[in-house]
Amino acid sequence: LLTRPIVGVVGIFAIMFMVQVVDILNRVLSAEQGGLAERLLESTMFVSDASLQGAELVRRMAGESRRHCAALAGMVTLLGGAPASRRLDALSSDLHFHELGFVLPRVAAAEAALVFEYRSSASVLGDVPEAAKLVSGMADAHEKNLLQLRKLIGVQAGARA
């Protein structure tokens, strides 16, 4: 007779825990959707010879972002939640008609913010290994992109000097 209420309480805590996990994953999904790489592909950018490598990196980053969004939405759905809807950062509306090299430092700052979001989220998802592994792997990909962006920015700054 006493096990039924205890099981019910345990079930409620399990549901509350999964709701928290879904909220964390949706926060990461929203951050990913607000990234600048895909927005750059949607905008009209001037790409000089000096920023051709940057254009290729941005294209690759946008593709990764789409895959990350799909994987995060899939994990949220698997856990019984509803994926966050896509939101666009209004501050990214001014990306049109700039030279890509001019915008890359801003992309690097946004990528650094994504790395922070992913790393802080992965640290609290440890009790859900599949979600933690997914988020950690995405953080690694963003860190790699950030290093490449910083290298490109340094090369372009050196070329202007």
Side-chain angles (χ1 to χ4, degrees), residues 10-24:
V10 171
I12 289 170
F13 282 122
I15 291 170
M16 288 172 50
F17 176 73
M18 281 305 157
V19 167
Q20 289 176 327
V21 170
V22 166
D23 286 346
I24 292 166

Side-chain angles (χ1 to χ4, degrees), residues 96-116:
H96 292 285
F97 308 114
H98 287 289
E99 207 285 321
L100 180 60
F102 176 77
V103 179
L104 284 180
R106 193 165 150 194
V107 175
E111 197 72 4
L114 269 175
V115 168
F116 178 80

Side-chain angles (χ1 to χ4, degrees), residues 50-152:
S51 60
L52 283 175
Q53 285 181 321
E56 181 55 36
L57 177 58
V58 166
R59 272 192 289 281
R60 189 174 50 74
M61 288 171 58
E64 280 180 7
S65 179
R66 286 188 292 275
R67 287 188 297 278
H68 289 178
C69 287
L72 288 165
M75 179 66 70
V76 166
T77 303
L78 184 68
L79 294 173
S85 3
R86 184 173 186 218
R87 65 169 181 77
L88 299 176
D89 181 1
L91 297 175
S92 66
S93 64
D94 68 338
L95 292 174
H96 292 285
F97 308 114
H98 287 289
E99 207 285 321
L100 180 60
F102 176 77
V103 179
L104 284 180
R106 193 165 150 194
V107 175
E111 197 72 4
L114 269 175
V115 168
F116 178 80
E117 183 67 42
Y118 272 100
R119 290 286 179 220
S120 60
S121 295
S123 69
V124 296
L125 289 172
D127 291 334
V128 185
E130 300 85 8
K133 182 179 177 183
L134 178 71
V135 170
S136 291
M138 291 176 182
D140 293 342
H142 283 290
E143 251 174 13
K144 181 180 172 187
N145 292 337
L146 179 59
L147 291 173
Q148 291 175 336
L149 281 167
R150 287 179 174 161
K151 181 180 174 185
L152 276 173

Side-chain angles (χ1 to χ4, degrees), residues 34-55:
L36 290 182
E38 195 162 352
R39 287 296 298 234
L40 284 175
L41 290 184
E42 297 167 355
S43 65
T44 304
M45 299 294 301
F46 295 110
V47 180
S48 67
D49 289 342
S51 60
L52 283 175
Q53 285 181 321

